[in-house]
Amino acid sequence: MSLMAEVGLGALLGLSFNPVAALIGVVLGGALGALSRIASAVAVVLAAWAFGDGVRVAAVVAATVESAGAGSVAAEVAPLVAWGLVSLAAGYALPAWAGAFAGSRVTHGTGWLAGGAVAAAACAAAATLGGVLG
């Protein structure tokens, strides 16, 4: 199988992220982002990803690097990197960004609530599409 096909399969695997950790992380991240607490929102989203998918991806990458030969490490790790990046982007970062974007446009003090709700809806939609595509 070609490298691009393997990276594509890794990306499809990334669409099957942990929906529980993602939902918690993006709701908090979207609410914090709507309040212009960007550093806190990024920290929460990264912590949720690390708890939900990041440790699993890192463990598989470490095991693959340990068992792979010197010449084939890049070819073996590329699909796993795609898995981790797509998981982070599609399951965690983009829904939190959508919530922060929508919540920051609310003018009457409930932007954090709107941000969390939009982030939760975007996360649920991504998890549903990931289940269908993956």
Side-chain angles (χ1 to χ4, degrees):
M1 189 182 314
S2 72
L3 180 62
M4 288 305 292
E6 290 182 11
V7 170
L9 289 175
L12 280 176
L13 186 59
L15 291 176
S16 61
F17 54 88
N18 184 342
V20 175
L23 185 66
I24 293 168
V26 302
V27 166
L28 292 173
L32 288 169
L35 295 173
S36 297
R37 295 182 180 147
I38 304 302
S40 298
V42 169
V44 165
V45 169
L46 287 177
W49 177 76
F51 177 72
D53 292 319
V55 172
R56 182 173 49 160
V57 172
V60 174
V61 168
T64 302
V65 168
E66 184 177 312
S67 68
S72 65
V73 172
E76 298 278 333
V77 172
L80 302 174
V81 169
W83 173 25
L85 290 176
V86 169
S87 169
L88 175 61
Y92 296 84
L94 290 176
W97 174 82
F101 181 81
S104 65
R105 271 111 185 109
V106 176
T107 59
H108 293 294
T110 58
W112 62 272
L113 183 61
V118 168
C123 180
T128 302
L129 287 175
V132 171
L133 297 175

